């Protein structure tokens, strides 16, 4: 765990909770919540001001035994009646602590995951009570909550007044200052794909000219990817196709023949396509 970060013109010194001498780095990439970063980062007055503007939503995950006949496994259901008002300030009060999303992961189990907004305005037991009523209204049977996990720092965002006053531009202007770069949900949305896209954009924007020193050993990332691509390349022969698919752990599929049957892709083929996209 990071205990403190000190940045200077000469580099970045990071001290961990384990103690010992500070670790020296050339650059710092902050991937944690910006408001939480104030606990270890040597923030400037401008950084402290901007980071303090970050807001969060109180969110809860509930795992329960629920039987709803029409709910399909591996399907996500957004409960439209529980989404709250668009301009609501308190999401927990606006939704009454009721489930907003429902998901049953497995066909062999009635274990169902639901998500709900919380907050100090909700009395204990409110979420479970509304979940019980919701399941009943959907024609199902409620078997009780097994686990309830609170996420107090869900969805870092800014107030509409901060958006209007160009706070996102001010945050982006911090990129590269004091040898520091920032990634994470505050720059897009609380989705893994969105955060990955932003991180890739940041690397292309600020680290395009960074190259390993001549003395560095080992192959570059593109070279490694191309090697993987070579290994993953499918051989079109009927027997070899099956060997490649079995070795990759994917389902062995026979390629389309002269009859023009629809082609199915093995796991190896899908990996090859992904690697091609990365190195292209």
């Amino acid at each position: 765990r990071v205990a403190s970060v000190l940045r200077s013109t000469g580099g970045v010194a990071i001290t961990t909770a384990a103690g010992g001498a500070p670790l020296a780095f050339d650059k710092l990439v902050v991937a944690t919540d910006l408001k939480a970063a104030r606990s270890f980062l040597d923030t400037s007055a401008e950084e402290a001001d901007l980071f303090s503007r970050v807001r969060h939503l109180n969110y809860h995950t509930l795992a329960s035994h629920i039987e709803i006949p029409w709910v399909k496994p591996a399907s996500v259901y957004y409960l439209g009646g529980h989404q709250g008002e668009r301009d609501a300030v308190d999401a927990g009060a606006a939704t009454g602590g009721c489930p907003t999303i429902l998901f049953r992961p497995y066909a062999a189990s009635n274990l169902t995951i639901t998500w709900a907004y919380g907050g100090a305005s909700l009395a204990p037991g409110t979420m479970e009570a509304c979940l019980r009523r919701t399941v009943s209204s959907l024609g199902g049977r409620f078997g009780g909550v097994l686990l309830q996990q609170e996420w107090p720092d869900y969805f870092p965002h800014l107030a509409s007044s901060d958006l209007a006053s160009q706070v996102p531009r001010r945050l982006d202007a911090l990129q590269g200052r004091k040898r520091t770069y920032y990634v994470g949900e505050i720059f897009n949305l609380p989705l893994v794909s969105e955060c990955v896209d932003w991180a890739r954009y940041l690397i292309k924007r600020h680290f395009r000219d960074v190259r390993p020193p001549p003395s560095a050993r080992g192959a570059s990332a593109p070279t490694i990817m191309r090697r993987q691509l070579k290994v993953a390349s499918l051989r079109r022969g009927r027997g070899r196709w099956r060997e490649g698919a079995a070795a990759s752990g994917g389902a062995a599929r026979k390629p389309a023949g002269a009859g023009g049957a629809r082609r199915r892709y093995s796991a190896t083929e899908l990996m090859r396509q992904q690697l091609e996209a990365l190195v292209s």
Side-chain angles (χ1 to χ4, degrees), residues 72-208:
K72 297 180 180 180
S75 297
V76 178
Y77 298 86
Y78 287 81
L79 306 181
H82 296 163
Q83 299 302 318
E85 297 297 327
R86 178 177 179 180
D87 299 325
V89 176
D90 187 335
T95 59
C98 292
T100 58
I101 305 175
L102 185 147
F103 172 56
R104 179 183 170 187
Y106 311 110
S109 172
N110 65 1
L111 181 69
T112 303
I113 312 300
T114 57
W115 290 266
Y117 294 105
S121 61
L122 298 180
T126 300
M127 290 184 186
E128 182 173 352
C130 188
L131 178 57
R132 184 184 298 274
R133 294 195 304 270
T134 300
V135 171
S136 178
S137 69
L138 295 175
R141 183 171 60 85
F142 183 68
V145 175
L146 296 178
L147 172 70
Q148 181 171 339
Q149 175 65 53
E150 178 186 16
W151 309 100
D153 54 358
Y154 172 72
F155 187 33
H157 62 283
L158 298 168
S160 57
S161 57
D162 288 331
L163 295 175
S165 60
Q166 303 297 314
V167 168
R169 289 185 180 273
R170 292 175 58 193
L171 279 172
D172 188 56
L174 295 178
Q175 302 288 6
R177 290 188 191 177
K178 301 180 71 174
R179 297 174 171 265
T180 306
Y181 303 86
Y182 302 93
V183 298
E185 300 175 33
I186 189 64
F187 296 98
N188 35 69
L189 289 171
L191 299 171
V192 173
S193 60
E194 300 289 342
C195 292
V196 170
D197 285 345
W198 172 262
R200 286 175 171 170
Y201 163 73
L202 187 79
I203 291 172
K204 290 181 179 180
R205 175 179 162 191
H206 292 282
F207 295 90
R208 181 178 295 274

